[in-house]
């Protein structure tokens, strides 16, 4: 598989750690709970020197549900921007199902927005997520879909059909790493 031109990352569970509340995986609602994943740091360092563009696309229904303030969400975004400046843009859907928006994944609106704004080629763009919603949204646009598997999302994995399954983000660089070495 060829190295991608661009990688779009889901945020929660990919860039930052999932939070467990009453044993259920949820999104962080405070800056205190917003912890960058170690494998994302490693992945970022590997990607940083490569000609691969990085973006992020995230559902944040906690905004609509009143569980997360816009200020805290902006604080999280600032943190990512400051530490990982190669990520060119982070786009959010702050709606819930009842809003019937076109951007809440599995709807593809967030990804369409990035694809069109940055002229991304579908077959050279990877979309990395930790849920069925991510894989469905990515597949809708013909992106290469990558599922980041963990203990908490096995059921989600059973309900979708990602092209690539990895258990940490560094593994993803091995998918195209071999090809690059021989070319
Ligand atoms: Mg996620
Ligand atoms: Zn939305």
């Amino acid at each position: 598989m060829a190295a991608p031109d661009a990688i779009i990352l889901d945020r929660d569970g990919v860039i930052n750690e999932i939070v467990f509340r009453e044993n259920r995986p949820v999104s962080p609602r405070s800056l205190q709970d917003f912890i960058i994943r170690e494998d994302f740091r490693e992945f970022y360092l590997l990607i940083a020197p490569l000609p691969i563009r990085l973006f992020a696309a995230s559902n944040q229904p906690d905004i609509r549900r009143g569980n997360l303030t816009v200020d805290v969400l902006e604080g999280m975004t600032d943190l990512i921007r400051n530490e990982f400046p190669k990520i060119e843009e982070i786009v959010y859907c702050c709606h819930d199902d009842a809003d019937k928006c076109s951007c809440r994944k599995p709807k593809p609106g967030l990804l369409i927005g990035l694809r069109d704004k940055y002229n991304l080629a579908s077959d050279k763009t990877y979309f990395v997520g930790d849920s069925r919603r991510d894989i469905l949204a990515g597949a809708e646009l013909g992106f290469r879909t990558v599922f980041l598997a963990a203990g908490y999302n096995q059921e989600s994995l059973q309900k979708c059909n990602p092209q690539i399954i990895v258990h940490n983000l560094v593994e993803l660089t091995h998918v195209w790493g071999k090809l690059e070495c021989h070319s």
Side-chain angles (χ1 to χ4, degrees):
M1 200 166 290
D5 285 352
I7 302 174
I8 305 175
L9 304 151
D10 171 43
R11 202 199 71 177
D12 300 325
V14 177
I15 294 176
N16 56 279
E17 299 279 3
I18 282 288
V19 174
F20 289 89
R21 200 169 283 119
E22 288 155 9
N23 285 324
R24 286 184 48 234
V26 295
S27 298
R29 294 172 182 171
S30 68
L31 286 173
Q32 219 172 350
D33 282 347
F34 190 77
I35 313 290
I36 300 295
R37 290 170 54 94
E38 251 342 286
D39 65 326
F40 175 73
R41 287 184 195 283
E42 281 180 56
F43 171 78
Y44 183 85
L45 288 175
L46 290 169
I47 295 292
L50 302 178
I52 297 175
R53 306 181 77 176
L54 287 181
F55 304 92
S58 170
N59 284 353
Q60 291 298 325
D62 274 347
I63 292 281
R64 182 69 167 87
R65 295 169 189 164
N67 293 324
L68 173 69
T69 66
V70 171
D71 279 357
V72 171
L73 181 61
E74 277 174 7
M76 294 168 176
T77 305
D78 287 345
L79 199 145
I80 295 172
R81 277 188 203 293
N82 292 337
E83 261 196 87
F84 309 104
K86 191 180 168 84
I87 299 179
E88 294 178 53
E89 186 167 356
I90 304 170
V91 290
Y92 293 109
C93 164
C94 297
H95 306 114
D96 203 349
D97 291 329
D99 297 316
K100 302 202 185 310
C101 68
S102 59
C103 45
R104 179 163 159 74
K105 296 174 286 182
K107 299 243 180 78
L110 289 181
L111 302 183
I112 289 174
L114 288 175
R115 181 195 63 188
D116 293 353
K117 181 170 176 184
Y118 295 98
N119 222 349
L120 305 177
S122 291
D123 60 336
K124 290 179 180 167
T125 301
Y126 286 29
F127 183 52
V128 185
D130 68 335
S131 79
R132 171 181 166 275
R133 285 176 183 277
D134 298 316
I135 299 307
L136 293 181
E140 178 116 2
L141 271 75
F143 288 167
R144 300 217 179 274
T145 51
V146 183
F147 192 97
L148 181 55
Y152 66 83
N153 60 14
Q154 288 305 305
E155 215 179 296
S156 195
L157 176 55
Q158 300 308 318
K159 293 180 191 155
C160 63
N161 193 18
Q163 291 174 314
I164 302 162
I165 300 171
V166 295
H167 294 83
N168 72 68
L169 289 169
V170 174
E171 260 180 64
L172 180 56
T173 64
H174 303 161
V175 171
W176 68 78
K178 249 187 188 167
L179 286 172
E180 277 198 334
C181 291
H182 296 293
S183 63

